[in-house]
Amino acid sequence: MQVVHGKTGWIEVICGPMFSGKSEELIKRIRRAQIARRRVQIFKHGIDARYDATSIVSHSQQSLPGIALTHVTDILDLVDDRTELVAIDEGQFFGPEIVEVTNKLANQGRRVIVAGLDLDYRGEPFGPMPQLLCSAEYVTKQLAICMVCGDPANFTQRLSESTAQVLVGAQETYEARCRRHFEPPAGA
Ligand code: ADP
């Protein structure tokens, strides 16, 4: 089904560790699309209620209202026929279906932007992100600042002992680290 007639869709992925500015970059791209009067819908995973259950919020407190969901396939029911840009935050928390869903939306002629962590706290690929990165036309990898030395940081250091892959938190639970100062948990 070609919803947005005469246009070719595509997928953009914004990835990197925590604090690398993924949400800020996502918000910037959405704002610019809104200035261009594009029809936008914003989704995020319902698990991340750190700041706001229904808005995407950056660590620097920029925010935009969105819809929180658990099953990424719900986007196919919720997306309006006229929506030109579908933005998804915290893409790493969704199941593997996010690859099929984003491809479907792009094949319908829409621009799709997904922001998400590419690596988990062990430094291993996070959920569906590797497959998503492969099917995206545009990939932006961002780096944060290492909290030990100030160099560019590609890793998210968990500061607690928990071994759950998903442990929602911000500065008190995680910090950005470069490869020299990243300490993967024992056994990872
Ligand atoms: P992400 O979505 O990648 O977690 P955000 O867009 O929410 O990142 O937040 C990025 C902001 O976080 C930066 O602009 C900065 O104000 C703040 N920040 C806090 N710690 C760091 C850090 N170690 N490196 C870079 N930015 C940091």
Side-chain angles (χ1 to χ4, degrees):
M1 182 178 54
Q2 183 80 19
V3 174
V4 183
H5 296 283
K7 289 200 177 159
T8 305
W10 67 86
I11 301 171
E12 299 166 34
V13 175
I14 305 164
C15 65
M18 279 181 75
F19 310 106
S20 64
K22 299 182 300 298
S23 299
E24 280 177 357
E25 179 62 24
L26 181 63
I27 290 168
K28 181 184 117 185
R29 292 186 195 182
I30 294 167
R31 288 223 163 105
R32 290 173 66 94
Q34 288 171 332
I35 290 167
R37 298 202 179 81
R38 300 290 181 261
R39 292 173 186 274
V40 178
Q41 273 182 285
I42 303 170
F43 301 95
K44 69 173 216 176
H45 198 287
I47 204 170
D48 184 6
R50 267 179 303 168
Y51 301 109
D52 191 310
T54 53
S55 293
I56 54 170
V57 185
S58 75
H59 291 106
S60 50
Q61 302 307 318
Q62 299 179 45
S63 76
L64 281 176
I67 299 171
L69 5 111
T70 317
H71 301 291
V72 71
T73 46
D74 290 351
I75 294 179
L76 298 175
D77 298 325
L78 294 167
V79 77
D80 190 279
D81 277 357
R82 296 164 304 167
T83 296
E84 295 164 282
L85 168 58
V86 176
I88 304 172
D89 200 10
E90 304 289 3
Q92 77 279 354
F93 289 148
F94 287 106
E97 310 78 30
I98 192 171
V99 179
E100 196 187 330
V101 168
T102 49
N103 272 299
K104 211 171 252 183
L105 293 166
N107 290 343
Q108 291 169 345
R110 307 179 209 265
R111 176 184 180 190
V112 182
I113 314 178
V114 184
L117 289 164
D118 48 352
L119 299 175
D120 67 11
Y121 77 103
R122 300 166 303 166
E124 300 291 335
F126 208 138
M129 295 302 286
Q131 282 72 21
L132 200 56
L133 287 163
C134 291
S135 62
E137 274 85 352
Y138 303 100
V139 173
T140 305
K141 171 119 177 181
Q142 313 226 119
L143 297 173
I145 301 296
C146 175
M147 294 306 283
V148 178
C149 70
D151 278 351
N154 186 32
F155 296 93
T156 304
Q157 182 74 51
R158 182 175 284 179
L159 303 172
S160 81
E161 298 287 310
S162 168
T163 54
Q165 189 185 36
V166 177
L167 174 69
V168 174
Q171 259 105 342
E172 72 291 351
T173 321
Y174 296 100
E175 68 183 26
R177 297 269 182 99
C178 68
R179 67 171 62 242
R180 204 152 53 99
H181 292 113
F182 174 61
E183 294 169 37

